[in-house]
mmCIF file of all heavy atoms in Angstrom:
data_model
loop_
_atom_site.group_PDB
_atom_site.id
_atom_site.type_symbol
_atom_site.label_atom_id
_atom_site.label_comp_id
_atom_site.label_asym_id
_atom_site.label_seq_id
_atom_site.Cartn_x
_atom_site.Cartn_y
_atom_site.Cartn_z
ATOM 1 N N MET A 1344 107.980 142.064 178.372
ATOM 2 C CA MET A 1344 109.366 141.604 178.306
ATOM 3 C C MET A 1344 110.172 142.610 177.477
ATOM 4 O O MET A 1344 109.846 142.891 176.325
ATOM 5 C CB MET A 1344 109.467 140.236 177.613
ATOM 6 C CG MET A 1344 108.236 139.368 177.698
ATOM 7 S SD MET A 1344 108.056 138.660 179.298
ATOM 8 C CE MET A 1344 109.059 137.222 179.082
ATOM 9 N N CYS A 1345 111.225 143.105 178.102
ATOM 10 C CA CYS A 1345 112.097 144.108 177.413
ATOM 11 C C CYS A 1345 112.930 143.451 176.343
ATOM 12 O O CYS A 1345 113.254 142.260 176.433
ATOM 13 C CB CYS A 1345 113.058 144.711 178.450
ATOM 14 S SG CYS A 1345 112.242 145.723 179.668
ATOM 15 N N PRO A 1346 113.366 144.252 175.386
ATOM 16 C CA PRO A 1346 114.298 143.689 174.386
ATOM 17 C C PRO A 1346 115.668 143.394 175.023
ATOM 18 O O PRO A 1346 116.211 144.250 175.717
ATOM 19 C CB PRO A 1346 114.416 144.840 173.382
ATOM 20 C CG PRO A 1346 114.075 146.070 174.139
ATOM 21 C CD PRO A 1346 113.076 145.678 175.163
ATOM 22 N N VAL A 1347 116.103 142.192 174.811
ATOM 23 C CA VAL A 1347 117.449 141.804 175.323
ATOM 24 C C VAL A 1347 118.195 141.163 174.163
ATOM 25 O O VAL A 1347 117.713 140.181 173.578
ATOM 26 C CB VAL A 1347 117.332 140.821 176.521
ATOM 27 C CG1 VAL A 1347 118.683 140.236 176.862
ATOM 28 C CG2 VAL A 1347 116.754 141.587 177.751
ATOM 29 N N SER A 1348 119.333 141.712 173.829
ATOM 30 C CA SER A 1348 120.114 141.224 172.696
ATOM 31 C C SER A 1348 120.740 139.865 173.003
ATOM 32 O O SER A 1348 120.915 139.495 174.192
ATOM 33 C CB SER A 1348 121.231 142.232 172.376
ATOM 34 O OG SER A 1348 121.943 142.514 173.563
ATOM 35 N N SER A 1349 121.042 139.116 171.986
ATOM 36 C CA SER A 1349 121.837 137.894 172.088
ATOM 37 C C SER A 1349 121.321 136.881 173.091
ATOM 38 O O SER A 1349 122.090 136.280 173.811
ATOM 39 C CB SER A 1349 123.284 138.270 172.436
ATOM 40 O OG SER A 1349 123.812 139.172 171.528
ATOM 41 N N LEU A 1350 120.006 136.687 173.084
ATOM 42 C CA LEU A 1350 119.441 135.706 174.020
ATOM 43 C C LEU A 1350 119.950 134.289 173.697
ATOM 44 O O LEU A 1350 119.834 133.382 174.517
ATOM 45 C CB LEU A 1350 117.909 135.744 173.957
ATOM 46 C CG LEU A 1350 117.286 136.969 174.627
ATOM 47 C CD1 LEU A 1350 115.766 137.029 174.317
ATOM 48 C CD2 LEU A 1350 117.503 136.963 176.132
ATOM 49 N N GLY A 1351 120.505 134.132 172.527
ATOM 50 C CA GLY A 1351 121.074 132.840 172.135
ATOM 51 C C GLY A 1351 122.179 132.388 173.066
ATOM 52 O O GLY A 1351 122.521 131.198 173.113
ATOM 53 N N ALA A 1352 122.758 133.308 173.812
ATOM 54 C CA ALA A 1352 123.787 132.923 174.762
ATOM 55 C C ALA A 1352 123.186 132.151 175.934
ATOM 56 O O ALA A 1352 123.896 131.496 176.694
ATOM 57 C CB ALA A 1352 124.517 134.175 175.292
ATOM 58 N N TYR A 1353 121.855 132.214 176.094
ATOM 59 C CA TYR A 1353 121.209 131.621 177.260
ATOM 60 C C TYR A 1353 120.207 130.534 176.894
ATOM 61 O O TYR A 1353 119.735 129.817 177.772
ATOM 62 C CB TYR A 1353 120.515 132.738 178.087
ATOM 63 C CG TYR A 1353 121.459 133.914 178.280
ATOM 64 C CD1 TYR A 1353 121.309 135.099 177.548
ATOM 65 C CD2 TYR A 1353 122.550 133.785 179.134
ATOM 66 C CE1 TYR A 1353 122.217 136.138 177.696
ATOM 67 C CE2 TYR A 1353 123.461 134.836 179.278
ATOM 68 C CZ TYR A 1353 123.286 136.003 178.538
ATOM 69 O OH TYR A 1353 124.200 137.013 178.675
ATOM 70 N N ASP A 1354 119.882 130.454 175.622
ATOM 71 C CA ASP A 1354 118.921 129.427 175.180
ATOM 72 C C ASP A 1354 119.077 129.272 173.670
ATOM 73 O O ASP A 1354 119.175 130.261 172.939
ATOM 74 C CB ASP A 1354 117.489 129.922 175.479
ATOM 75 C CG ASP A 1354 116.448 128.882 175.091
ATOM 76 O OD1 ASP A 1354 115.987 128.909 173.929
ATOM 77 O OD2 ASP A 1354 116.094 128.020 175.935
ATOM 78 N N PRO A 1355 119.095 128.022 173.193
ATOM 79 C CA PRO A 1355 119.339 127.818 171.760
ATOM 80 C C PRO A 1355 118.309 128.508 170.848
ATOM 81 O O PRO A 1355 118.666 128.940 169.745
ATOM 82 C CB PRO A 1355 119.260 126.301 171.604
ATOM 83 C CG PRO A 1355 118.980 125.717 172.934
ATOM 84 C CD PRO A 1355 118.957 126.800 173.963
ATOM 85 N N GLU A 1356 117.064 128.623 171.299
ATOM 86 C CA GLU A 1356 116.052 129.256 170.447
ATOM 87 C C GLU A 1356 115.853 130.737 170.768
ATOM 88 O O GLU A 1356 114.956 131.373 170.201
ATOM 89 C CB GLU A 1356 114.724 128.503 170.542
ATOM 90 C CG GLU A 1356 114.746 127.144 169.883
ATOM 91 C CD GLU A 1356 113.358 126.541 169.885
ATOM 92 O OE1 GLU A 1356 113.042 125.878 170.874
ATOM 93 O OE2 GLU A 1356 112.621 126.723 168.922
#
Side-chain angles (χ1 to χ4, degrees):
M1344 334 284 274
C1345 292
V1347 169
S1348 51
S1349 304
L1350 288 171
Y1353 312 104
D1354 182 271
E1356 289 187 273

